[in-house]
Amino acid sequence: MDILSIFLVVLFLFNILFAGIIIFIERKDASATWAWVMILFFIPFIGFVIYLFLGQNLTRRRLFDWERFRQIGIVDIISKQMDQIRNPEFSFHDEDVDEYRDLIYMHLINNDAILTKDNQIQVLTDGEEKFNQLFEDIQKAKDHIHIQYYIFRYDSLGKKIIEELTKKAEEGVKVRVLYDELGSRKLKRKHFSSLTKAGGEVGVFFPSKFPLINLRLNYRNHRKLTIIDGQIGYVGGFNAGNEYLGKDKTFGYWRDTHLRIKGNAVDPMQTRFILDWNQASKHFSIDYEPRYFPMKSNEGNATVQIVSSGPESEWEQIKNGYMKMIMSAKESVYIQTPYFIPDQSLLDALRVASLSGVDVRLMIPNKPDHPFIYWATYSYIGLLLKTGANVYIYENGFIHSKSIVIDRKMNTVGTANIDMRSFKLNFEVNAFIYHKETSEELAQAFEKDMMESTKLTEELYNKRPRWIRFKESISRLLSPIL
């Protein structure tokens, strides 16, 4: 037997070994298992390398220190709220909130997501508007600023953020910045030298153990959070970079959705940041001090739950929330997402809603920022169109908004896309909002965006070229691991 034959036999045995690991040890879901087996057997060796980068499993790892979190009384609040919701005689002050008690209970028991009241919510859909408001709030900060982004560019916007944070650090405000290494792969610690010299701290989520390469292409921290003085919180789709101001010629205008929240919902946002920070920054951990959870003034009437999910969790909390919302819809479901790669359960929920007479509307971009994901999205759209759902292709630049509005009564806005990466592989955070006024504002924003969109009919969809259909088919096969 020559050397080449021996090599091929060894390669074949390695493929069998890794296929066995995927099937019997990792216990991935069936669709992901078949996708990996296909890659391993059709592209040997290269498939093995891809698996090293993308196929790791975090579900059995303990990443976050929940013990100190539980010591601040959250468990008692959750237990009390669960007892109240289970009591059929208990009713919320707002009947629209009472309508979603099953969803609220699910988030309580499944995610420790306390229900907060008296929140004031500002919807931000334009990058200039969002960052101008953020800079104004940063300049008024008195005690601390906590900022977390998946993508943090060292461009003119990123430099301005660092400059403003440095000024506050020099004034004695405690400033912490957390970013994901892969999402912000061109960002260097030296870029924050002025901030750290002024007393600011910088943390990196899942940094590489090797120079120039990060083996964790999956399991990235996709959350975008800002907490200022424990009084103001930001959550949504905008990252920090010039493209989010519409300055990228490829994408043009950047349409996104972000929330500025004042009220009790800021406390769970703060808790989420502290958990992420303490995981990433081993040398500068944050204690749960009262300064980070100050008393709030009752400035609004919105009811909110902050829900997070990640690959270390047994449950797909945000996806489960999406499904429960859709199944509760009686009149309308408005969805904006840059990527639409649902699993079968979520796709079935949308199809059943549409077939039941619910007005299901989906809005996606007209251009890809990730080609395989874009073509996989198109493969799923056809299944929705057959049920009578309405699909809109946003034409005024790039839509990156991650929002769902149900019956113009409740909504969710956050960082999670409708794809398997957000549901299973990334760390995400969403605000679930039980508030008619905010829901109406988001519904009207959707309808305004419809004026800048092309409606995709089933007839138009069926006219797409064979080459496009081929790319869709290949992308859909890979969708469980995209």
Side-chain angles (χ1 to χ4, degrees):
M1 185 178 290
D2 57 27
I3 294 176
L4 179 59
S5 298
I6 294 173
F7 174 77
L8 291 175
V9 169
V10 171
L11 190 60
F12 178 72
L13 292 175
F14 263 107
N15 275 348
I16 293 177
L17 173 63
F18 276 95
I21 289 173
I22 292 171
I23 294 170
F24 297 109
I25 298 178
E26 294 289 349
R27 301 295 294 272
K28 300 177 184 291
D29 63 78
S31 58
T33 296
W34 281 112
W36 279 117
V37 169
M38 181 182 71
I39 288 174
L40 287 170
F41 279 95
F42 279 92
I43 46 175
F45 183 70
I46 296 176
F48 166 69
V49 174
I50 294 173
Y51 181 81
L52 287 179
F53 279 86
L54 298 177
Q56 306 166 62
N57 193 329
L58 291 186
T59 55
R60 290 181 295 275
R61 301 186 191 179
R62 186 173 180 273
L63 295 178
F64 302 103
D65 181 9
W66 287 96
E67 296 309 313
R68 287 193 294 168
F69 158 72
R70 294 180 185 279
Q71 289 172 6
I72 62 174
I74 297 296
V75 174
D76 293 336
I77 297 173
I78 292 169
S79 178
K80 181 179 179 181
Q81 289 189 350
M82 287 171 62
D83 288 341
Q84 290 174 335
I85 293 173
R86 277 196 297 251
N87 183 354
E89 296 180 1
F90 173 80
S91 61
F92 296 92
H93 295 300
D94 186 341
E95 62 180 16
D96 291 325
V97 178
D98 191 71
E99 186 175 344
Y100 299 102
R101 69 164 61 210
D102 289 350
L103 174 59
I104 294 167
Y105 182 84
M106 184 186 75
H107 285 321
L108 276 168
I109 196 170
N110 199 28
N111 195 240
D112 291 341
I114 61 173
L115 188 69
T116 66
K117 299 184 292 184
D118 303 322
N119 295 287
Q120 181 188 85
I121 298 176
Q122 181 181 356
V123 177
L124 303 164
T125 60
D126 176 79
E128 293 281 357
E129 178 189 26
K130 184 258 180 176
F131 284 101
N132 286 339
Q133 181 64 68
L134 178 63
F135 288 136
E136 182 179 332
D137 289 333
I138 286 174
Q139 290 161 7
K140 294 178 180 178
K142 303 294 185 206
D143 185 77
H144 65 273
I145 302 170
H146 293 160
I147 286 187
Q148 176 178 357
Y149 283 113
Y150 170 64
I151 296 174
F152 196 121
R153 308 277 193 210
Y154 192 64
D155 53 19
S156 59
L157 177 60
K159 290 176 182 177
K160 180 171 175 56
I161 293 173
I162 294 172
E163 179 183 335
E164 293 294 332
L165 294 176
T166 300
K167 290 178 182 177
K168 299 309 294 187
E170 290 171 344
E171 294 174 11
V173 173
K174 190 61 184 179
V175 176
R176 296 180 175 95
V177 177
L178 176 62
Y179 65 89
D180 182 271
E181 187 185 73
L182 189 67
S184 309
R185 51 189 170 273
K186 294 183 179 180
L187 195 63
K188 308 296 181 185
R189 285 186 179 272
K190 66 180 181 181
H191 294 150
F192 293 97
S193 59
S194 61
L195 175 61
T196 54
K197 286 179 183 177
E201 297 173 359
V202 178
V204 184
F205 195 88
F206 276 5
S208 175
K209 297 179 181 179
F210 308 100
L212 304 179
I213 188 170
N214 195 316
L215 292 178
R216 285 198 179 107
L217 295 184
N218 284 337
Y219 312 128
R220 307 313 312 184
N221 199 318
H222 196 239
R223 296 170 183 143
K224 299 101 178 167
L225 287 170
T226 298
I227 299 93
I228 298 174
D229 291 343
Q231 298 283 0
I232 300 171
Y234 285 81
V235 62
F238 282 107
N239 286 292
N242 285 343
E243 66 263 43
Y244 303 97
L245 299 177
K247 296 182 178 180
D248 188 296
K249 294 181 180 179
T250 301
F251 296 108
Y253 180 72
W254 192 278
R255 167 66 175 88
D256 219 321
T257 304
H258 221 85
L259 302 177
R260 178 182 182 267
I261 301 176
K262 294 184 70 177
N264 294 310
V266 178
D267 285 351
M269 294 168 70
Q270 182 82 280
T271 300
R272 181 69 267 168
F273 178 88
I274 292 174
L275 285 165
D276 285 1
W277 175 270
N278 287 349
Q279 193 286 327
S281 181
K282 305 300 182 184
H283 303 295
F284 302 101
S285 63
I286 306 174
D287 289 325
Y288 292 85
E289 301 174 23
R291 63 185 287 198
Y292 300 124
F293 303 93
M295 293 292 294
K296 312 291 190 296
S297 57
N298 298 333
E299 299 195 28
N301 60 350
T303 303
V304 179
Q305 282 179 296
I306 301 298
V307 178
S308 55
S309 65
E312 89 290 1
S313 304
E314 182 179 358
W315 308 103
E316 299 167 17
Q317 292 94 332
I318 293 178
K319 189 204 84 170
N320 290 342
Y322 285 178
M323 284 186 60
K324 188 69 175 174
M325 288 173 66
I326 293 164
M327 290 188 291
S328 73
K330 296 178 177 62
E331 298 176 5
S332 61
V333 176
Y334 289 4
I335 299 174
Q336 289 181 322
T337 178
Y339 320 123
F340 183 71
I341 308 178
D343 65 4
Q344 194 61 48
S345 60
L346 186 57
L347 181 63
D348 285 344
L350 284 167
R351 294 169 73 185
V352 168
S354 182
L355 290 168
S356 302
V358 175
D359 179 11
V360 175
R361 303 185 189 184
L362 170 68
M363 188 175 292
I364 61 171
N366 72 338
K367 62 188 74 174
D369 62 340
H370 300 291
F372 276 109
I373 297 175
Y374 183 76
W375 296 119
T377 291
Y378 258 78
S379 75
Y380 286 99
I381 283 175
L383 299 174
L384 267 188
L385 288 172
K386 289 180 180 179
T387 68
N390 298 293
V391 177
Y392 299 90
I393 311 300
Y394 185 73
E395 304 288 356
N396 186 34
F398 186 78
I399 190 161
H400 190 250
S401 172
K402 305 104 168 34
S403 66
I404 302 177
V405 184
I406 302 296
D407 295 341
R408 308 176 91 96
K409 292 181 179 179
M410 72 90 53
N411 68 85
T412 182
V413 173
T415 68
N417 300 302
I418 297 184
D419 65 4
M420 298 179 200
R421 178 163 295 276
S422 281
F423 295 156
K424 295 177 180 291
L425 301 177
N426 283 342
F427 298 90
E428 308 281 2
V429 61
N430 270 48
F432 284 75
I433 303 166
Y434 313 92
H435 189 233
K436 188 177 290 184
E437 286 79 4
T438 304
S439 301
E440 180 64 32
E441 184 176 355
L442 288 166
Q444 289 181 12
F446 186 103
E447 291 163 353
K448 181 181 178 182
D449 292 333
M450 286 169 53
M451 305 298 290
E452 305 281 358
S453 303
T454 299
K455 186 174 181 180
L456 182 63
T457 64
E458 191 173 3
E459 181 182 2
L460 285 172
Y461 181 80
N462 290 333
K463 288 181 179 179
R464 66 201 192 284
R466 291 181 183 273
W467 173 237
I468 299 298
R469 299 185 189 207
F470 174 75
K471 289 193 286 188
E472 289 176 9
S473 298
I474 297 299
S475 299
R476 184 167 179 175
L477 284 173
L478 298 175
S479 62
I481 59 174
L482 287 177

